[in-house]
Amino acid sequence: MIAHDSPDARPRPLVLGSTSPYRRELLERLRLPFDTVSPGVDETPLAGESPSTLARRLALAKARAVSLLHPDALVIGSDQVADLDGQALGKPGSHERAVQQLRAMSGRTVVFHTALAVVCLETGFVAEETAQVRVQFRTLDDTEIEHYLRAEQPYDCAGSAKAEGLGIALLDAIESDDPTALIGLPLIRTARLLRQAGLTIPALPPALSPSHGPQPSEGIPHPGAVS
């Protein structure tokens, strides 16, 4: 049975089960206070596991792992896996591996599966969604690949594709119904699941002291990542 908090009740703490700077920066756009916690989940694919299934399994595993540490909180877990003809392409981790990935994706269409899970252990709330982004890569030569990798060093990005930076120059087209999904966190879906869990989005900003007057620059405190 999924339990929901009333939107009028005191909001539960919000935790992002990730230390990814990309996901943290995206979640900040919703202007909600949150903490970040490393989920410490083994991301090794299971035998015969499809890219979409892998992304969904890891997103839920991350949310559940962190919810054990913060049972009263709403915990967000997310994972992204690049899919080239059914083959999972994860984070390259090295320059050599990134070169191999980009050579394989040159001139091809790659589907990026970005899975999302929101869990609250205390209430039993569990909700999941997945966004799919179809990315058409240009035909790339080794010089272009080398220049891109030296400039961006996207070794922590699934499929070596950092489309929010110089990686956009490697592409012919992006098709998605959730614009931030390719960066690592589909915010349309994230906001929807958090509303289902009882949060109000957009939320009213914190009350300001009359003695200070309006202070537009004083918004939600910037959360620090937990290593």
Side-chain angles (χ1 to χ4, degrees), residues 16 56 79 89 105 205:
L16 175 63
R56 292 195 302 271
D79 193 78
L89 302 177
M105 295 186 294

Side-chain angles (χ1 to χ4, degrees), residues 111-184:
V111 179
F112 286 79
H113 303 276
T114 306
L116 172 71
V118 176
V119 171
C120 180
L121 194 63
E122 194 170 85
T123 65
F125 181 87
V126 179
E128 304 173 66
E129 287 207 36
T130 302
Q132 292 188 350
V133 183
R134 295 179 61 84
V135 177
Q136 177 63 48
F137 281 80
R138 294 173 40 247
T139 299
L140 308 173
D141 60 39
D142 284 351
T143 299
E144 288 180 300
I145 291 173
E146 188 69 18
H147 288 177
Y148 163 68
L149 292 178
R150 294 298 182 187
E152 284 286 10
Q153 301 185 25
Y155 309 130
D156 60 346
C157 298
S160 309
K162 194 172 182 180
E164 69 273 27
L166 185 58
I168 198 71
L170 306 181
L171 311 180
D172 269 335
I174 297 175
E175 299 177 14
S176 175
D177 63 357
D178 206 331
T180 62
L182 186 57
I183 306 175

Side-chain angles (χ1 to χ4, degrees), residues 88-99:
L89 302 177
K91 301 171 185 176
S94 69
H95 184 86
E96 294 73 19
R97 179 61 180 152
V99 169

Side-chain angles (χ1 to χ4, degrees), residues 37 41 52 90 98 109 123 138 149 184 187 190 223:
V37 175
V41 169
S52 60
T109 297
T123 65
R138 294 173 40 247
L149 292 178
L187 284 183
T190 300

